[in-house]
Amino acid sequence: MLVVALLALLCGAPSSPGRVVRPARTVVLLYPEARLLPEILAVEDAIRPALDPDGAVSLYTEYLDLARTTDVEYERQVIALLREKYASRRVDLIMPVAFPALRFFLSHRAELFPGVPAVFAAANLDAVTGLDLGSDITGVRLPSEWGATLEAALALQPRTRRAIVISGTSATDQNLQAAAAHDLARYRDRVEITYLAGWPIARLLDEVATLPKDTVVLFVSLLRDQAGRLFTDPEAVSLITRASSVPVYGWSETHLGHGIVGGRLASFESQGTRAAELAMRVLGGERPGALPVVDGSATAYMFDERQLRRWGLSASRLPAGSIVRYQDASLWDLYGWNIVGVGALVAALALLSTGLLIERSGRRRAEVSLGERLRFETLLAEEAATFSRVSAADVDHEIERALRRIADFLGVDWSTLTEYSEDSRTARVTHRWMAEGMDPQPVAALGLGEIPWSVAQLRRGATVRFARVEELPEVGAAVDRQTYRRLGVKSSVAVPLTMEGVVIGALAFSAVAVERAWRDEFVQRLQLLGEVFANTLSRRRAEMEGQRLRQDLAHIGRVSTVGELTASLAHELNQPLTAILANAQAVRRILDAGQADLIEVRAIVDDIVDDDKRASDVIGRLRSLLKKGTLERSSLDMSELVGQVARLVAGDAVLRGVVIRLELAPDLPPVAADRVQLQQVVMNLILNGLDAMRDSAIGSRILLLRTAREGEGSVAVTVQDCGAGIESTELGQVFDAFYTTKANGLGMGLAIVKSIVEAHGGRVDARNNPEGGATFSFVLPIVQKGP
Amino acid sequence: MPPPRPVVFVVDDDASVRKSLARLVKTAGYEVEAFASVSEFLARAPFEGPGCLLLDVRMPGRTGLDLQETLRAAERRLSIVFITGHGDVGSSVTAMKGGAVDFLTKPLDEEALLTAIRQAVGRTIDEQAEQGRVTAVRNCVATLTPREAEVFALVVTGMLNKQIGGRLGIAEKTVKVHRARVMEKMQAGSLAQLVRLAGTGGIIAARA
């Protein structure tokens, strides 16, 4: 009777005919850390939409903060909290993420979630013994790929004798370190493996800074160091790769882009996706025990092009099927300004999104005034946005304004931005803000030697912070302590400004009146701000570099106009020569006439001398015009040079609607050539290509610049355009002087190219592409090593 | 009283060149006047005597070619020797078409320069003499009455008095009187001389 009524009810429901109504499901995600780590975020981002496409599943998340599990009382409180929280809720599935969360679940499931099935994700079980999953648990294992990563490292660096393996002290760190040791054991015969497990970060950075060349670093995990400092893996990777004297390899996609060369990298996203698939089946009624534990299959050899270049590693030695990312690094060279803009924007977005995350964790932990935090997040986001579009001329002004605003917000007494010189030997305070009544003199005059410990920290990419001067190491930072006391500084925080792994300066905030503790999250925000400033400053440096380059080219312009000037110089030289000759002839006639007025003769001879001086002056001017024109051969990387010139003409290309594409070989052997002259060659070829596409359809204006090895002994540079091409009858003449198809062209550009290239022992070529347009190229001999 | 020495006018913007050329030309027995620009030269009172111009082609402001054109338009007879810093075919063609005596390239060959100056001075003298004759004829023509001028124009075409009278609608006798007055005013001793004078003065073309 009841069944019939229910059926009738179901069938009669017009909104969902034939649809099975299921009660809402509840899934609890267990995370081992107190924070939303990038890896966990990747897992959750994959699980959430897959598991809950139409909002029918209630997802709860628990941040267990297992780094504190040594604290028995803490663990007891967590368990009590969870029991209380879920006592009145029906839980359908538990999803522990990472092994420590799985272990926690296994240890406490009887009292917390009795009889609830579980699907775990991203748990590495390789070094785990005596684990009994039971019949209602399945999941996705995190594969151990350290061996594969080490293999790749050995292929790239065949002389490697030693490997340093880095890990931290958190539960996840320890689990992964054990798995790595398990996996790497089989390489003991080939490589000496040293485990730096749970070192304090400062000591660790010191250690990796001085590693010998036959060493590689394998990064495992460093969520927490011995001193209890917390990191995310990308943060730790950044610090370590900056400090390291040798290449660093990793095993997770989240490490890539933060300074590692690469490795066999695991995808946490795919962990989440596969775990979600299993979870759906369990929620659909299947028994977990019937579903075998699976491996998260998606691992791949992935590498960072910029790091390969940084360490001079040959892409040809990469394992088959490797994915090389960040190949567009040269875009930075090309579109520095724009990218900085985008970069800053990304930083701003990152700020906003971390702001949201912080807000989430804030709600969970309710520690700090949400209002104050939000205001700070907003402030930083606004600053990031401002700096993404600041013009070079306004940089100084804007930085000073930002320093004032932030210092104001923080209630500190002064803030400074220090820029290190390019050789990192000297530093100068480029921007500062001081509260009213402060004497700026002592701060302005502060030398690097007066705070040596702080400077050393910053140079290594580490942060300096202290609430009281006494927190600084008594022995190591004795000088710093003295200086801070002399300046009256009570507390201070300083973050390094880094650009592409190089520390270019520091951003510091100091308080005189109060002792201030600087929270981790706050320091992280400051680091982001530091990145924004670093971007801004380095973009200005790049612009100055560009200016220098342009001056060089202006000089080349002068040299090439010497040809045109010859006529006018000949005229200038002709005048004194004419006068000298006429005077000499006059004096001869006077003498011949036999009635010489010696005073007049003397005057004429004086004039001759003066005019001769004038003639030498003209020659001197010509020489000074050509002063920089002497050939100075040096070892040149043509890829770097082509990239530089491309950056110079980038603006021009944009105006002409031309897309410049770079295919620059990363490890070309050097050629011996005059930098300025070869810049002129490349510049002329690029301008020629841009001109050639003047009448092409906008979307098809692509100029491809390519560098490559040519045979054993040469390097080739090609410039391929999509223009109209060259008349076949004229192919042989394009490099001749005064050959031009342009109404206002002199016809000298390609002739100059030819004469410079041939003067360097190379040769030029021009041909039409089968698919349209023309390709101009030149080949230069490489520097021969040894006799 | 010896004939006046020819004057060579040196026009060049370069002081050293100007001074040295002036010296050299002076040693060859000429009077020399030097000018730094075309305007400076034109500011001088028009020169009627024997002489020539030694003229730089390229100068700031008005060029040598401009001056050549100005002098021709003003019917001032002063032959020109151009000097230039570099062989410029276009300028030299223009200069020579405009009646220049020579076009010399700096530095100047002494012999070529003095030869050119000599020729130029000679041509100036000839042209000025020619112009003197023309002026004299024109002055005489200016004294003729309109009727006399008509008779003059027809006489030099070889017409008989009777024909002229028929053409002008006057008596043959009257033509004869006008004709005698024309011969007298034009200071011509014969019909042949009158015809030559008419050619010099351009009368035939002007009044026919």
Side-chain angles (χ1 to χ4, degrees):
Chain A
M1 195 47 201
L2 187 65
V3 173
V4 171
L6 250 177
L7 273 175
L9 205 71
L10 280 172
C11 296
S15 58
S16 54
R19 196 172 143 195
V20 181
V21 173
R22 283 195 311 230
R25 302 306 191 88
T26 299
V27 175
V28 179
L29 292 164
L30 296 182
Y31 295 143
E33 301 295 325
R35 304 164 290 158
L36 194 50
L37 299 170
E39 292 79 5
I40 289 175
L41 192 59
V43 171
E44 185 174 319
D45 279 349
I47 288 179
R48 202 172 272 273
L51 207 56
D52 188 20
D54 43 20
V57 174
S58 295
L59 273 181
Y60 288 81
T61 47
E62 295 303 336
Y63 292 78
L64 302 172
D65 204 356
L66 295 176
R68 298 181 202 271
T69 45
T70 45
D71 183 346
V72 179
E73 179 60 18
Y74 172 79
E75 194 172 350
R76 204 186 55 75
Q77 288 172 344
V78 170
I79 291 164
L81 179 73
L82 290 176
R83 198 164 44 205
E84 170 115 33
K85 183 171 175 182
Y86 294 104
S88 58
R89 288 186 173 85
R90 187 202 134 99
V91 176
D92 299 285
L93 182 69
I94 303 292
M95 296 190 75
V97 177
F99 177 70
L102 174 60
R103 191 177 53 194
F104 175 89
F105 171 71
L106 290 173
S107 308
H108 303 288
R109 67 182 301 202
E111 49 182 317
L112 288 177
F113 306 107
V116 179
V119 172
F120 63 85
N124 190 303
L125 307 177
D126 290 5
V128 179
T129 51
L131 189 74
D132 181 16
L133 289 176
S135 63
D136 50 1
I137 297 181
T138 186
V140 187
R141 298 154 59 108
L142 188 64
S144 289
E145 295 287 5
W146 291 279
T149 292
L150 183 59
E151 292 267 13
L154 293 176
L156 281 169
Q157 299 173 256
R159 295 199 187 136
T160 301
R161 297 281 167 272
R162 250 156 50 95
I164 302 292
V165 181
I166 291 176
S167 59
T169 60
S170 81
T172 307
D173 295 339
Q174 290 175 22
N175 164 249
L176 293 173
Q177 196 267 339
H182 185 262
D183 194 29
L184 290 171
R186 57 201 156 109
Y187 292 91
R188 255 183 309 208
D189 294 340
R190 288 171 62 186
V191 184
E192 177 196 336
I193 301 177
T194 310
Y195 293 92
L196 305 186
W199 282 31
I201 187 76
R203 213 177 119 210
L204 189 61
L205 294 179
D206 277 338
E207 179 71 18
V208 298
T210 54
L211 292 173
K213 289 287 158 218
D214 64 351
T215 309
V216 296
V217 173
L218 299 189
F219 178 86
V220 171
S221 181
L222 181 50
L223 299 176
R224 181 170 177 269
D225 76 355
Q226 197 193 41
R229 274 189 66 185
L230 299 178
F231 304 90
T232 65
D233 275 355
E235 283 170 352
V237 162
S238 295
L239 289 174
I240 288 162
T241 53
R242 262 179 230 151
S244 178
S245 59
V246 298
V248 180
Y249 296 80
W251 61 274
S252 161
E253 276 183 19
T254 55
H255 302 162
L256 197 67
H258 295 275
I260 62 161
V261 172
R264 181 87 186 172
L265 306 187
S267 157
F268 279 88
E269 191 192 339
S270 101
Q271 290 279 328
T273 308
R274 304 219 60 188
E277 287 165 12
L278 290 175
M280 287 305 286
R281 291 171 69 177
V282 172
L283 289 175
E286 291 188 53
R287 267 189 52 245
L291 303 168
V293 171
V294 296
D295 276 324
S297 56
T299 61
Y301 281 116
M302 297 178 80
F303 296 88
D304 185 332
E305 162 92 3
R306 299 168 302 184
Q307 299 302 325
L308 290 172
R309 254 195 250 167
R310 172 186 169 197
W311 298 107
L313 302 175
S314 167
S316 63
R317 294 176 182 277
L318 293 176
S322 290
I323 298 164
V324 179
R325 300 260 314 267
Y326 305 103
Q327 298 209 50
D328 51 352
S330 50
L331 275 178
W332 166 263
D333 301 330
L334 195 51
Y335 296 115
W337 271 97
N338 300 338
I339 287 186
V340 167
V342 173
L345 212 61
V346 168
L349 291 173
L351 272 169
L352 282 171
S353 59
T354 41
L356 293 172
L357 296 179
I358 288 303
E359 198 241 336
R360 279 160 71 170
S361 85
R363 202 187 298 156
R364 278 191 297 275
R365 295 197 274 158
E367 279 178 5
V368 184
S369 148
L370 189 60
E372 187 201 359
R373 245 187 208 177
L374 272 178
R375 279 197 298 129
F376 192 55
E377 296 293 339
T378 311
L379 184 156
L380 291 183
E382 281 172 14
E383 290 303 335
T386 301
F387 281 96
S388 72
R389 51 172 189 264
V390 69
S391 73
D394 293 337
V395 166
D396 290 329
H397 169 74
E398 287 296 330
I399 288 182
E400 265 158 34
R401 190 198 45 69
L403 289 181
R404 166 191 300 267
R405 188 174 174 208
I406 295 160
D408 231 28
F409 181 91
L410 298 173
V412 297
D413 300 293
W414 76 58
S415 52
T416 56
L417 194 149
T418 310
E419 229 179 307
Y420 297 151
S421 63
E422 232 144 315
D423 58 8
S424 235
R425 293 230 174 93
T426 56
R428 89 201 149 83
V429 174
T430 52
H431 308 84
R432 65 162 187 262
W433 175 84
M434 322 269 314
E436 266 176 48
M438 298 287 305
D439 177 10
Q441 199 47 44
V443 176
L446 190 64
L448 288 187
E450 294 179 82
I451 45 168
W453 181 85
S454 307
V455 170
Q457 296 286 316
L458 291 166
R459 284 252 169 88
R460 218 172 34 218
T463 304
V464 174
R465 56 173 150 171
F466 54 90
R468 296 176 301 127
V469 174
E470 289 69 35
E471 288 179 7
L472 294 170
E474 200 166 343
V475 181
V479 182
D480 299 58
R481 283 173 157 219
Q482 211 178 339
T483 304
Y484 289 125
R485 288 210 178 96
R486 179 169 61 76
L487 293 171
V489 171
K490 280 233 175 67
S491 58
S492 183
V493 60
V495 297
L497 306 182
T498 56
M499 196 65 215
E500 297 187 333
V502 180
V503 177
I504 63 166
L507 173 65
F509 296 90
S510 304
V512 173
V514 292
E515 292 182 353
R516 262 202 81 136
W518 313 96
R519 288 192 313 275
D520 280 355
E521 296 123 355
F522 166 73
V523 174
Q524 281 167 18
R525 303 278 102 55
L526 274 192
Q527 277 167 343
L528 281 171
L529 186 73
E531 252 168 65
V532 172
F533 283 176
N535 271 333
T536 308
L537 292 174
S538 78
R539 144 180 118 184
R540 191 166 61 174
R541 267 192 199 178
E543 208 199 356
M544 280 158 71
E545 167 74 4
Q547 253 168 19
R548 197 182 56 72
L549 214 57
R550 273 191 286 277
Q551 274 161 9
D552 279 355
L553 283 176
H555 156 68
I556 252 295
R558 283 204 302 278
V559 175
S560 60
T561 50
V562 165
E564 290 163 37
L565 285 177
T566 311
S568 102
L569 280 166
H571 180 72
E572 280 204 58
L573 207 51
N574 241 338
Q575 301 288 28
L577 289 180
T578 302
I580 288 168
L581 184 60
N583 275 324
Q585 288 162 346
V587 85
R588 188 171 62 190
R589 293 177 71 94
I590 290 170
L591 293 173
D592 285 350
Q595 42 181 345
D597 173 352
L598 283 183
I599 292 171
E600 193 192 358
V601 168
R602 167 79 203 207
I604 296 175
V605 172
D606 282 348
D607 281 355
I608 291 177
V609 171
D610 286 349
D611 279 318
D612 186 85
K613 279 188 190 147
R614 188 178 151 203
S616 358
D617 285 352
V618 174
I619 293 172
R621 263 189 291 154
L622 175 64
R623 194 174 289 144
S624 72
L625 194 69
L626 286 168
K627 204 167 69 193
K628 273 187 86 181
T630 47
L631 261 186
E632 280 177 23
R633 289 197 184 214
S634 54
S635 268
L636 296 182
D637 176 350
M638 286 310 292
S639 290
E640 185 204 332
L641 187 137
V642 170
Q644 271 180 339
V645 178
R647 178 170 54 183
L648 274 184
V649 297
D652 204 13
V654 169
L655 286 179
R656 294 163 181 244
V658 172
V659 175
I660 294 187
R661 269 200 204 145
L662 297 177
E663 285 183 14
L664 305 177
D667 50 358
L668 281 184
V671 300
D674 185 289
R675 171 174 290 274
V676 176
Q677 292 208 349
L678 280 194
Q679 283 169 344
Q680 173 82 22
V681 165
V682 174
M683 175 72 96
N684 284 5
L685 288 180
I686 293 177
L687 292 178
N688 183 66
L690 294 181
D691 285 342
M693 293 187 286
R694 199 186 320 228
D695 300 323
S696 310
I698 287 281
S700 69
R701 295 180 190 173
I702 295 164
L703 190 69
L704 175 61
L705 310 181
R706 191 187 289 126
T707 58
R709 263 195 97 132
E710 173 99 347
E712 271 307 294
S714 336
V715 165
V717 176
T718 54
V719 177
Q720 182 180 333
D721 66 56
C722 304
I726 309 162
E727 289 288 329
S728 55
T729 52
E730 293 173 344
L731 264 174
Q733 310 161 34
V734 290
F735 286 106
D736 293 349
F738 303 115
Y739 170 83
T740 182
T741 55
K742 300 169 207 161
N744 53 357
L746 262 183
M748 290 304 290
L750 294 177
I752 290 172
V753 165
K754 185 180 182 203
S755 57
I756 293 177
V757 168
E758 289 182 351
H760 283 88
R763 57 177 202 279
V764 294
D765 184 46
R767 58 187 60 189
N768 284 317
N769 313 323
E771 67 276 19
T775 296
F776 289 82
S777 60
F778 65 92
V779 172
L780 291 173
I782 64 171
V783 180
Q784 296 299 330
K785 280 180 220 130
Chain B
M1 188 174 154
R5 284 207 290 173
V7 182
V8 176
F9 299 93
V10 178
V11 184
D12 194 312
D13 60 306
D14 188 290
S16 296
V17 171
R18 197 163 64 234
K19 192 172 166 192
S20 63
L21 286 180
R23 267 191 195 126
L24 178 58
V25 172
K26 212 179 279 181
T27 62
Y30 298 95
E31 286 291 331
V32 177
E33 288 185 31
F35 302 90
S37 70
V38 168
S39 315
E40 213 177 277
F41 171 75
L42 288 174
R44 185 200 187 279
F47 176 74
E48 303 289 340
C52 74
L53 263 169
L54 191 56
L55 182 58
D56 192 19
V57 178
R58 268 203 211 178
M59 282 181 287
R62 295 155 86 178
T63 66
L65 295 175
D66 290 340
L67 178 58
Q68 183 182 34
E69 182 56 39
T70 305
L71 293 181
R72 193 170 48 199
E75 293 198 348
R76 283 171 61 178
R77 313 286 165 177
L78 194 58
S79 295
I80 300 175
V81 175
F82 277 103
I83 49 177
T84 180
H86 41 94
D88 172 350
V89 179
S91 301
S92 67
V93 169
T94 311
M96 297 310 280
K97 272 189 182 167
V101 173
D102 215 335
F103 195 92
L104 304 174
T105 310
K106 294 179 187 175
L108 302 167
D109 177 68
E110 182 180 2
E111 210 50 53
L113 174 70
L114 296 180
T115 304
I117 288 177
R118 206 157 41 238
Q119 285 175 356
V121 170
R123 195 189 284 183
T124 302
I125 290 171
D126 290 349
E127 286 182 356
Q128 283 174 347
E130 171 71 8
Q131 188 174 29
R133 280 193 297 277
V134 171
T135 308
V137 172
R138 284 189 184 165
N139 287 343
C140 295
V141 171
T143 63
L144 302 177
T145 65
R147 183 58 88 189
E148 284 165 359
E150 282 173 344
V151 171
F152 175 37
L154 295 174
V155 165
V156 295
T157 65
M159 278 190 187
L160 300 174
N161 288 350
K162 193 175 176 182
Q163 294 168 304
I164 296 170
R167 168 78 71 88
L168 296 178
I170 54 175
E172 186 184 350
K173 196 176 163 190
T174 314
V175 173
K176 213 170 174 180
V177 172
H178 285 309
R179 185 171 176 158
R181 294 293 299 272
V182 168
M183 294 291 276
E184 188 189 332
K185 282 184 177 173
M186 296 300 295
Q187 300 165 14
S190 64
L191 177 62
Q193 204 181 346
L194 189 69
V195 170
R196 204 164 51 242
L197 287 174
T200 303
I203 302 299
I204 295 171
R207 298 280 179 97

